[in-house]
Amino acid sequence: MESLMKEYAAFEEKVKRTIFIDSLSPAATEAVVRASLDQFGNVIQVKFIPNYLEPKNVGLSALVELENADQAKTIISEISSSSFMICGMPRPVRARAAEAEMFDDRPIKPGRKIVCRWLDSSDPDVEVAKKMKHLVSKHAEEAKFCLKHQLEEEENLAKKQTEILNATYKKYELIDSVVGNRVAERLAERYRVHVAKAEQQ
């Protein structure tokens, strides 16, 4: 029993120094997440949470273990107070403290006992179970609708970002061609405007 208590105490310490991150780009890898967060603390482990039910283009989630709880709090504060993006996701990532239930390898809590039993149709708990089933089904439909709306917003945002990026690139390309062809210098001479000459590389 004592060894189980020590094992669970060590697990609780691990939870305190771990953060939960979601809205990660599907293209994000462990190396990318490590490189992004190493500026705030020493990343010990990155563990992606498998997604078995939602579409593949939904943002990934991960548990990131840091060296200590203070580093975990620092990262949560930094990400919460600014638009922190990883791997070009149209929407900033979100971070919060991890919870014990998020770990699929968590040890059994000492003293906890789970009992399963069949319910008779006359048992009062049957009605409670039916209400819970209905509530879960309703929540699943609401989550599905919200997720669909969220993905549509992200796709529109990604298109706008691409358009802005392409337009900005074309502007710089135009400026570069004007300077490179000495059009700016000839116009400056024509209208007697002083233009600083770019240094030759």
Side-chain angles (χ1 to χ4, degrees):
M1 184 67 177
E2 186 178 350
S3 61
L4 291 176
M5 293 182 68
K6 287 183 179 180
E7 181 185 6
Y8 197 81
F11 168 71
E12 288 181 317
E13 289 300 315
K14 179 181 179 180
V15 173
K16 291 178 182 177
R17 62 175 183 266
T18 302
I19 63 173
F20 171 78
I21 293 182
D22 67 342
S23 296
L24 285 166
S25 166
T29 62
E30 180 179 342
V32 170
V33 176
R34 279 181 177 274
S36 301
L37 301 180
D38 266 339
Q39 57 185 309
F40 304 112
N42 185 24
V43 177
I44 303 299
Q45 183 185 37
V46 177
K47 186 175 182 180
F48 289 99
I49 298 176
N51 178 12
Y52 300 110
L53 302 175
E54 305 298 347
K56 292 183 179 180
N57 57 342
V58 172
L60 298 177
S61 301
L63 292 170
V64 182
E65 182 184 353
L66 285 304
E67 194 170 34
N68 54 58
D70 289 337
Q71 290 182 2
K73 291 177 182 177
T74 298
I75 292 179
I76 293 173
S77 176
E78 289 291 336
I79 293 179
S80 300
S81 60
S82 60
S83 298
F84 194 82
M85 302 181 76
I86 297 178
C87 211
M89 192 70 171
R91 187 161 51 89
V93 298
R94 297 177 296 188
R96 61 187 176 95
E99 299 175 11
E101 291 75 17
M102 296 176 177
F103 295 78
D104 57 0
D105 57 348
R106 63 184 180 277
I108 299 174
K109 189 175 183 178
R112 185 184 183 191
K113 187 177 181 181
I114 300 176
V115 178
C116 299
R117 63 187 176 87
W118 291 103
L119 292 178
D120 188 81
S121 58
S122 60
D123 195 307
D125 288 338
V126 170
E127 289 301 317
V128 176
K130 287 181 178 179
K131 289 180 180 179
M132 286 294 295
K133 182 179 179 181
H134 175 72
L135 187 62
V136 169
S137 177
K138 181 180 178 182
H139 175 73
E141 290 299 319
E142 291 174 349
K144 183 179 179 181
F145 174 80
C146 290
L147 182 60
K148 181 182 177 182
H149 182 65
Q150 175 184 311
L151 289 175
E152 289 174 353
E153 284 187 340
E154 288 180 357
E155 287 177 2
N156 292 333
L157 181 58
K159 289 178 182 178
K160 289 181 181 178
Q161 289 177 338
T162 302
E163 290 173 1
I164 293 172
L165 182 63
N166 291 336
T168 304
Y169 176 77
K170 288 180 179 179
K171 287 179 182 178
Y172 280 110
E173 199 174 41
L174 178 62
I175 293 171
D176 187 58
S177 64
V178 168
V179 174
N181 294 334
R182 300 190 66 232
V183 173
E185 290 182 22
R186 291 197 293 270
L187 287 173
E189 291 174 0
R190 173 68 177 81
Y191 293 102
R192 298 178 183 179
V193 177
H194 175 71
V195 177
K197 293 184 179 180
E199 294 183 1
Q200 297 294 328
Q201 297 294 329

